Amino acid sequence: MDLEIQNLTFTYPTQPLLLENITYRFPSTGLTVIAGQNGSGKSTLLQLLAGILAPSSGKVQLNHQDVSLIVPAARVQHLAYLPQNTRHFFTFKTGREQLSFMLENLQTPSDQIPKIIHQIVAENSLEYLVDQPITTLSGGELQQMALAMIFSLDPEYLLLDEPFANLDHDHQLQLIHMLKSKKNNTAIIVADHQLQYYQDFADSWLNVTVHKLQSFNPSFQNSPTVSRVTAGLPVSISSRLQWQKLTFSQAGRPLVVESTFQLPQRMVGLLAGKNGSGKSTLLNVLTKQYPYSGQITFDQQNEQRISIRKWIQHITLGFQNSEDQFIKTTVREELQSAQQASYHPNFWTNLQISSWVQKFNLQSIIDESPYFISGGQQKKVQLLILAIISSPVILLDEILTGLDHASVALAWDLIEMLTQLGCGILIIDHQFQSFKHYDYVLEIHDSHLQLLPKGESLNEIDH
Amino acid sequence: MKLTTNPRLNPTIAVLLMLILGLILTFTAKIWLNIIVFVGCLLYLLACRVSFKKMGIALLIAFPFALGSWLSFISFSHSYTRAWLYATRIYTYFSLGALVTLCYSLKTVLLSLHQHFRLSNTFVYGILTAVGMIQNVKAQIKKIRIAANMHNQTLNWWNPMLYLKIIVSCLNWSDNLAVAMTLQGFSNDYPRTETYHDSISIFQWGLLILLALVCGGLAFF
């Protein structure tokens, strides 16, 4: 098997040149990491390799055959691709139906399909997930299932776009183990910003910069992953959003039982917990989207007495799936609309907004539809919208996933600025290198939402 | 997937029966024949153990349509016979539709038609995926409205902006779903394992022809 690109050039319609005259031959085993800034074209390059996109000029060839011309049923057995947003990977009601659909496409004999599904489910511990409605599964759970499906294809080339996104620590370790054992007889090509996952075992490093693909040597600062809580809450805090004896469950399984907490203003908190522990659901509960028992108040006013329109103006939510955030047709309109709704219009002047657009490197896509920009750019636009609105409480679901290194640092500048404006912020995040930024850590563990004291480590990491 | 146990008709036969009887009734003006077919369908639904609630809802939905055509024929052609003919015809059409929709899952019907009439797989799985999306669309509408609330805007159900947003996000999804199906090895007109299989007995074909002949005979002679 032989995968190569020749004189590849790619441009999206109406957008500036993305990839220019790239020629590269991928090795047939080992792990290749493709890095690059948000919007540099990493995902596009993977999609070109997977045959989903066709190059503007030049060729992508598998064994000297154009990949986009190989019939999908045959192609996926050589080249399997995991998209960045795995929610888009599922077209049926349950994972089992999806697996069965995939195996039927591969012309697996019908008497073997249940056996193979059973095997995939057992090998990847998906027993609990495989028959649940897809709409009820968390981002991390969908990621686990999509990875299991892609690995089961056992292709010669595995193309993975941010495979660690949304995974909890346990599953991150499992994936590292899986990649290490696969790479001896499979070529694995990943696009990612989080290079530290691949630090010990990547075989080649590529970087997409200024439309070109270049090899590089990554430098890792020797900062060990901090998993201990570095700060504790002061005794007296100001708080506006509070909940008492909060309980909610899913499909009869309790997610959080009798939690009481006062969310501090002017601080940033981390909401941690394993995949499927109920982190996103908690944010949905706090934004009137999910049933619960107990009491939630904002400024001593009961949530049940306030209309959703009013409530959501106090408490905004950054959706895990960035696309859900957008209500306008261009990025510029999104930001203008946010400016009109801003709690701090004097702070968020046109000048301030355009300076952040520059910093986040969004000026080239400002008139694009927010649907047709890269995953990382979507996250940045999403964060900027919520920052401009700067409501008293801001809940952010995996907002830092998919951001490049420089953007994560900028995101933290923005978040810290928001705390100075008086906002209380709670963030779901699985990338623990930003630990030092958090003022406190909440963790959902065994159906309990607990505030971790200073010096404690996460249950998600230690057992 | 619901089981197609006896005395059920094969899904393909049920679809054909619906089409043929529907066509015959379109060209006849006999109220009593409408009623016979309607009662026949109801009896069949009962035999298939379709719940009363579902049947009740179907009949209730048909009511405004039947009433509407009854009233319009009364007011414009002043003929009670015509009014009753069209009102009963609506009910008969509904019951024929229920014969297919209430007795079989959509998946069974589509796969059965695929098997017997070479209905394209892209069509079958396109429809199934689209129907599977209904839950997602509902959830999406909720999210769009909440996202708008954050901008201090309210998107009520009469606001065209809401529908524009829904259409844009559905278009975006349809592209993504097509890609997802391809990524899982689906391609149009390429052989794939058929896990669904049913057979139509000579008895069922005979029954179809007999019912069509009887209904046609009663209608036109």
Side-chain angles (χ1 to χ4, degrees):
Chain A
M1 277 293 153
D2 204 14
L3 179 66
E4 57 185 330
I5 40 186
Q6 289 168 4
N7 308 321
L8 173 101
T9 296
F10 185 81
T11 317
Y12 284 104
T14 76
Q15 287 190 21
L17 182 75
L18 195 62
L19 303 170
E20 189 187 13
N21 203 10
I22 295 175
T23 298
Y24 191 79
R25 193 170 164 278
F26 288 91
S28 55
T29 56
L31 182 107
T32 306
V33 180
I34 302 177
Q37 287 181 343
N38 288 130
S40 60
K42 301 182 297 299
S43 297
T44 306
L45 185 59
L46 277 197
Q47 285 171 17
L48 286 160
L49 288 174
I52 301 168
L53 286 175
S56 307
S57 69
K59 285 177 187 160
V60 181
Q61 290 189 316
L62 180 71
N63 266 3
H64 311 292
Q65 232 192 328
D66 256 341
V67 283
S68 55
L69 299 179
I70 306 173
V71 67
R75 187 171 64 205
V76 296
Q77 300 184 54
H78 301 299
L79 273 171
Y81 166 70
L82 176 84
Q84 193 175 71
N85 188 341
T86 40
R87 215 160 267 282
H88 294 154
F89 198 66
F90 294 90
T91 59
F92 287 87
K93 235 179 245 164
T94 65
R96 190 180 297 280
E97 281 179 85
Q98 197 70 50
L99 271 164
S100 171
F101 172 74
M102 184 181 83
L103 293 168
E104 287 164 25
N105 292 334
L106 303 176
Q107 298 185 60
T108 316
S110 58
D111 56 328
Q112 287 188 27
I113 289 177
K115 264 188 267 172
I116 297 175
I117 292 179
H118 182 81
Q119 195 187 342
I120 295 172
V121 167
E123 281 171 6
N124 298 281
S125 329
L126 300 174
E127 291 83 356
Y128 176 73
L129 305 179
V130 76
D131 292 311
Q132 297 284 327
I134 292 296
T135 43
T136 64
L137 295 181
S138 75
E141 290 170 330
L142 291 177
Q143 188 80 9
Q144 284 168 42
M145 203 133 69
L147 279 165
M149 286 175 68
I150 290 295
F151 283 131
S152 77
L153 287 166
D154 203 22
E156 285 95 351
Y157 290 88
L158 269 170
L159 311 170
L160 311 173
D161 198 347
E162 295 184 18
F164 288 94
N166 304 333
L167 289 183
D168 61 26
H169 191 253
D170 273 358
H171 288 99
Q172 289 175 5
L173 294 181
Q174 266 176 39
L175 179 57
I176 288 176
H177 181 77
M178 190 75 179
L179 293 176
K180 277 181 182 165
S181 70
K182 280 260 177 200
K183 76 171 191 132
N184 296 324
N185 49 24
T186 309
I188 305 174
I189 302 165
V190 293
D192 214 325
H193 308 282
Q194 301 295 329
L195 306 183
Q196 77 283 0
Y197 293 125
Y198 314 97
Q199 190 173 357
D200 322 328
F201 63 100
D203 298 288
S204 48
W205 299 89
L206 298 172
N207 200 350
V208 186
T209 35
V210 220
H211 325 305
K212 298 281 185 193
L213 191 62
Q214 288 160 345
S215 45
F216 76 113
N217 280 319
S219 62
F220 294 96
Q221 293 112 357
N222 232 346
S223 59
T225 325
V226 188
S227 66
R228 295 202 179 273
V229 179
T230 50
L233 278 183
V235 186
S236 76
I237 50 155
S238 72
S239 161
R240 302 179 74 180
L241 177 67
Q242 311 182 342
W243 60 85
Q244 278 105 41
K245 301 213 165 173
L246 184 70
T247 301
F248 54 90
S249 53
Q250 187 175 55
R253 188 171 59 105
L255 291 176
V256 165
V257 177
E258 301 233 324
S259 154
T260 298
F261 188 66
Q262 308 187 335
L263 193 96
Q265 295 300 122
R266 297 178 174 275
M267 288 189 188
V268 192
L270 168 68
L271 177 59
K274 292 186 183 180
N275 286 151
S277 60
K279 301 184 296 297
S280 297
T281 313
L282 174 65
L283 300 195
N284 287 339
V285 165
L286 296 177
T287 48
K288 269 186 181 275
Q289 297 181 73
Y290 198 85
Y292 66 92
S293 66
Q295 198 183 41
I296 304 177
T297 58
F298 182 81
D299 285 346
Q300 271 79 48
Q301 279 183 297
N302 195 325
E303 175 265 332
Q304 315 238 318
R305 296 219 188 117
I306 303 180
S307 72
I308 183 156
R309 197 174 59 84
K310 284 257 161 63
W311 186 261
I312 290 298
Q313 285 167 29
H314 301 311
I315 298 156
T316 50
L317 168 65
F319 293 105
Q320 191 177 72
N321 188 6
S322 315
E323 290 170 359
D324 295 338
Q325 205 81 44
F326 306 131
I327 58 163
K328 298 288 174 188
T329 43
T330 66
V331 173
R332 189 192 298 277
E333 287 172 30
E334 289 287 348
L335 300 181
Q336 282 167 351
S337 164
Q339 192 185 20
Q340 277 156 22
S342 179
Y343 268 78
H344 297 277
N346 296 331
F347 180 82
W348 284 108
T349 57
N350 288 337
L351 203 66
Q352 182 73 263
I353 293 175
S354 53
S355 100
W356 278 100
V357 167
Q358 296 275 341
K359 281 185 199 168
F360 273 134
N361 214 0
L362 295 172
Q363 63 276 25
S364 65
I365 51 105
I366 190 97
D367 287 314
E368 294 295 329
S369 156
Y371 285 110
F372 299 129
I373 57 182
S374 84
Q377 288 167 339
Q378 286 181 338
K379 290 273 178 199
K380 289 194 249 182
V381 173
Q382 191 187 11
L383 182 62
L384 204 47
I385 290 172
L386 292 164
I388 294 172
I389 296 173
S390 52
S391 61
V393 174
I394 305 173
L395 309 170
L396 300 171
D397 197 345
E398 302 265 6
I399 197 87
L400 303 171
T401 308
L403 290 188
D404 59 43
H405 210 67
S407 304
V408 171
L410 274 169
W412 276 111
D413 288 349
L414 192 55
I415 289 167
E416 268 150 27
M417 211 176 65
L418 288 173
T419 58
Q420 281 157 26
L421 289 175
C423 305
I425 300 168
L426 187 62
I427 304 181
I428 297 178
D429 187 16
H430 286 297
Q431 296 163 14
F432 302 109
Q433 59 272 37
S434 352
F435 231 79
K436 59 176 189 295
H437 293 281
Y438 294 106
D439 298 311
Y440 63 96
V441 178
L442 283 177
E443 186 178 31
I444 304 180
H445 180 62
D446 289 340
S447 306
H448 287 284
L449 180 69
Q450 53 209 15
L451 178 70
L452 298 185
K454 192 173 174 177
E456 186 84 2
S457 61
L458 285 174
N459 287 302
E460 188 187 331
I461 294 177
D462 283 8
H463 293 278
Chain B
M1 205 184 297
K2 288 172 193 168
L3 285 173
T4 42
T5 50
N6 287 329
R8 288 204 174 181
L9 293 170
N10 176 283
T12 299
I13 294 287
V15 171
L16 288 175
L17 192 64
M18 172 186 78
L19 291 176
I20 294 171
L21 293 195
L23 199 66
I24 292 172
L25 292 175
T26 311
F27 295 106
T28 183
K30 292 175 175 155
I31 297 173
W32 55 269
L33 186 59
N34 284 347
I35 295 172
I36 290 178
V37 174
F38 174 68
V39 172
C41 286
L42 283 193
L43 288 176
Y44 177 74
L45 290 177
L46 282 177
C48 289
R49 294 165 193 255
V50 173
S51 77
F52 286 108
K53 193 180 154 195
K54 273 190 185 170
M55 279 163 64
I57 290 173
L59 296 179
L60 215 63
I61 293 173
F63 184 72
F65 297 93
L67 182 71
S69 64
W70 189 83
L71 283 175
S72 72
F73 277 99
I74 286 286
S75 42
F76 294 114
S77 75
H78 307 289
S79 154
Y80 275 95
T81 330
R82 285 214 158 181
W84 282 113
L85 176 71
Y86 285 98
T88 50
R89 189 178 284 176
I90 295 249
Y91 263 99
T92 314
Y93 283 161
F94 256 78
S95 64
L96 282 169
L99 193 79
V100 175
T101 53
L102 296 186
C103 291
Y104 311 93
S105 72
L106 179 67
K107 196 171 179 179
T108 319
V109 174
L110 288 172
L111 290 175
S112 182
L113 288 175
H114 167 70
Q115 185 193 335
H116 299 292
F117 291 119
R118 305 260 162 268
L119 194 63
S120 125
N121 258 330
T122 309
F123 181 79
V124 171
Y125 284 95
I127 294 278
L128 284 178
T129 312
V131 171
M133 291 260 296
I134 290 173
Q135 280 303 321
N136 291 351
V137 172
K138 277 188 189 162
Q140 194 66 37
I141 292 172
K142 249 174 120 178
K143 283 181 180 157
I144 290 169
R145 297 176 78 163
I146 287 181
N149 286 154
M150 292 183 206
H151 291 251
N152 209 349
Q153 292 175 11
T154 317
L155 292 182
N156 286 312
W157 58 267
W158 60 78
N159 188 332
M161 192 62 203
L162 176 67
Y163 298 97
L164 185 71
K165 251 316 284 186
I166 294 167
I167 291 168
V168 170
S169 75
C170 284
L171 282 176
N172 181 38
W173 273 356
S174 83
D175 287 348
N176 291 328
L177 291 176
V179 168
M181 286 167 75
T182 315
L183 290 178
Q184 291 162 38
F186 181 84
S187 29
N188 193 21
D189 298 331
Y190 194 77
R192 60 195 300 283
T193 310
E194 309 285 351
T195 45
Y196 176 89
H197 187 77
D198 66 29
S199 56
I200 305 178
S201 62
I202 294 179
F203 168 74
Q204 294 223 357
W205 283 115
L207 188 69
L208 174 71
I209 294 166
L210 186 72
L211 285 172
L213 286 177
V214 168
C215 185
L218 291 172
F220 301 119
F221 299 105

